[in-house]
Amino acid sequence: MSSTLKKYVLWFAQEHVDFRQAEIASLLRIWNIQMETPADHNPERPFWVVGLQNDEAARKLASRSMSLRCIFELWAHSNDGLTNFHQALRQHIESNAKSLATHFEANKSFKITVETYNKHFSQREKVAKIETMQYLPVEGPVNLKTPDVHYWYIEFWGLDPMDVPEQPYDVLFGRWVADGKRDMINEISLKTRKFIGNTSMDPQLSLLMANQGLVESGHLVFDPFAGSGSLLVAAAKFGAYVAGADIDYMIVHGKSKPTRVNQKVREKDESIYANLQQYGCGGLFVDVLIADFSRSIWADSIVFDSIITDPPYGIREATERIEFKTQRRATAMTEDAVHYPSTSPYQLCQMYKDLLQFSARHLKLGGRLVCWFPMLRKDADSDVLPRHKCLQLVANSEQPLSGYSSRRLLTYEKVSDSEADLGAFEMPATVVENFRERYFTQLAEDNGTRKERRLELREVGRKEAKKRGKQQQPDGKWRFPQDAPDA
């Protein structure tokens, strides 16, 4: 790690682990921040030791992150026992006495927080840990609520709760610099949101998508499968103007069946626009149109900064498009009658072809497409992801949904404006098959396997009960003869 950079610790919440690197890389790009990691860097650990230029860079990085709990300046750490840790901390304080003096002044209140990962410490044990650092030259008063300087002492005891080591893998100490932006997750919680649908995106994931889409204030962001507008809300929270489209008239106009359990009918003002107003972003709403994505309504001249979307997979929401008819039926209604067009299935391969080609044409150069892609987990090692010559895949994160299925958050960046490459879409034959059929086929197979497994376990239980002298009673339970109800 470069000697010109200061060491910091990025402390992550232990959820959506596979999304960390993609989000941090995107935020470094947004803020134009340089960050270095050591050669033994492990992204699955909740504590990353990194090199950053200064506290300001750390604050910028934390100011938009949904994955970070906080960032603190690292003063010392050791993976070789507590004795070496204390030696390293003493040495850091002595060698940096001049630059650290301001934190130890008599008018600066302080607080030391002891945290352990994968091991529980009692309050008495935590206090004992603090007592071992009597050599800290702090002169100010203790303030547990609003300290001027907040120190963190952390012991990392591994990731496996069933295999806790005798000694911590790492001990870290440093000065708190900034908290992450995880409070925004609760701010736009679905529990308090005005208008939601059956497939409204989880707030944390929608904000992660906005970060990976490099969404910034003043950008124009588009969601071609808007639904109830969760992704538009996330983009608007970062100051972007938002537009969307969806084929479902009922959801766009807030007339679909209510999603909340105790709600019988929707309120008159439920809408995507109402959600944006609820969060103070009403002025950033452009429009949401009723449109069939398979038949683009957009002029070639329109350009979006980001396209962020969650296409339907045909599991909880149908994949539909307007049916194309080559000739008029004799039984068709007259042209002046009200007509509700019939729909036909929108195959997954065709949907992603349309999405990537649309993005190649309408994204600005350097703009990003962020979208979900469904997969069966048995396809994980296969080359199944859609590709396009104008779009470079820059991030690929997995969210497991069940034992046999998952979805991947794919982030593409537009790298070419070549007209010759606009139609250069590729998708491996593995996913050309109908995903819905493959999903439910796998589900049936899995349920069959579970049933067989339960029967096998039940038979083993019967044999064990007989071996121990138990008898099956009329109520179906196995008991010792002396314990039978009539005994």
Side-chain angles (χ1 to χ4, degrees), residues 62-81:
S63 68
R64 282 189 51 157
S65 177
M66 300 301 125
S67 303
L68 282 172
R69 288 186 60 177
C70 72
I71 299 180
F72 58 87
E73 180 190 3
L74 182 63
W75 285 10
H77 81 110
S78 173
N79 52 13
D80 194 23

Side-chain angles (χ1 to χ4, degrees), residues 234-486:
K237 286 298 293 180
F238 291 129
Y241 292 96
V242 293
D246 202 285
I247 196 173
D248 190 341
Y249 173 94
M250 302 296 282
I251 191 72
V252 171
H253 287 278
K255 297 181 183 297
S256 58
K257 184 179 178 181
T259 299
R260 291 188 169 92
V261 176
N262 298 321
Q263 187 178 1
K264 302 301 181 185
V265 294
R266 288 198 181 274
E267 297 177 14
K268 290 183 179 180
D269 60 343
E270 283 192 46
S271 66
I272 296 172
Y273 179 56
N275 285 344
L276 292 169
Q277 284 185 308
Q278 178 183 353
Y279 302 122
C281 304
L284 299 171
F285 179 76
V286 178
D287 206 349
V288 176
L289 308 175
I290 301 166
D292 177 5
F293 187 64
S294 68
R295 304 178 189 283
S296 180
I297 62 173
W298 302 93
D300 289 345
S301 58
I302 192 164
V303 176
F304 299 107
D305 294 286
S306 305
I307 297 174
I308 302 175
T309 191
D310 179 23
Y313 322 135
I315 306 301
R316 295 177 66 191
E317 290 291 338
T319 54
E320 295 180 333
R321 63 177 178 177
I322 302 300
E323 186 175 347
F324 180 73
K325 299 173 183 177
T326 56
Q327 58 184 5
R328 186 181 179 85
R329 294 179 182 174
T331 56
M333 295 186 296
T334 58
E335 291 188 7
D336 59 340
V338 177
H339 174 59
Y340 298 94
S342 56
T343 59
S344 60
Y346 198 176
Q347 295 297 332
L348 193 73
C349 183
Q350 185 62 46
M351 183 189 302
Y352 280 92
K353 178 180 181 180
D354 292 342
L355 180 58
L356 266 66
Q357 289 185 340
F358 179 89
S359 302
R361 183 172 295 278
H362 293 287
L363 273 176
K364 71 177 183 181
L365 199 61
R368 286 190 172 184
L369 162 66
V370 184
C371 64
W372 290 99
F373 183 78
M375 289 183 65
L376 297 180
R377 303 195 76 178
K378 64 182 182 182
D379 295 335
D381 297 329
S382 306
D383 183 16
V384 299
L385 303 180
R387 299 184 290 267
H388 196 287
K389 281 190 176 180
C390 293
L391 303 170
Q392 180 182 352
L393 183 66
V394 295
N396 175 7
S397 307
E398 182 184 24
Q399 181 191 20
L401 300 177
S402 67
Y404 53 87
S405 67
S406 67
R407 61 179 181 174
R408 290 186 173 273
L409 185 61
L410 306 180
T411 303
Y412 297 89
E413 186 167 316
K414 186 173 178 179
V415 294
S416 172
D417 257 336
S418 172
E419 283 287 336
D421 293 335
L422 288 178
F425 169 83
E426 297 177 28
M427 179 177 275
T430 315
V431 293
V432 174
E433 304 171 58
N434 188 299
F435 174 76
R436 188 174 189 277
E437 292 177 5
R438 297 178 68 224
Y439 175 89
F440 284 111
T441 299
Q442 185 67 42
L443 177 62
E445 291 175 1
D446 191 65
N447 285 343
T449 305
R450 287 181 185 175
K451 187 176 181 181
E452 292 168 4
R453 203 178 298 136
R454 284 197 299 269
L455 289 173
E456 289 175 4
L457 290 172
R458 196 172 296 168
E459 186 59 31
V460 169
R462 287 196 189 98
K463 290 179 180 178
E464 286 294 322
K466 286 181 179 180
K467 192 184 294 183
R468 292 158 69 184
K470 291 184 177 181
Q471 297 177 356
Q472 190 170 18
Q473 305 301 319
D475 61 1
K477 296 182 178 180
W478 291 80
R479 299 187 182 93
F480 290 107
Q482 63 271 25
D483 295 333
D486 297 329

Side-chain angles (χ1 to χ4, degrees), residues 111-129:
K111 171 185 177 181
I112 301 177
T113 300
V114 174
E115 184 76 28
T116 58
Y117 190 92
N118 202 31
K119 186 169 184 177
H120 175 72
F121 277 10
S122 67
Q123 188 61 31
R124 180 176 293 179
E125 289 173 311
K126 290 182 178 181
V127 171
K129 292 289 182 182

Side-chain angles (χ1 to χ4, degrees), residues 79 92 103 117 143 145 162 173 182 272 280 370 378 384:
N79 52 13
H92 179 84
H103 304 307
Y117 190 92
N143 185 335
K145 291 186 176 181
M162 305 303 293
F173 183 89
R182 291 178 59 80
I272 296 172
V370 184
K378 64 182 182 182
V384 299

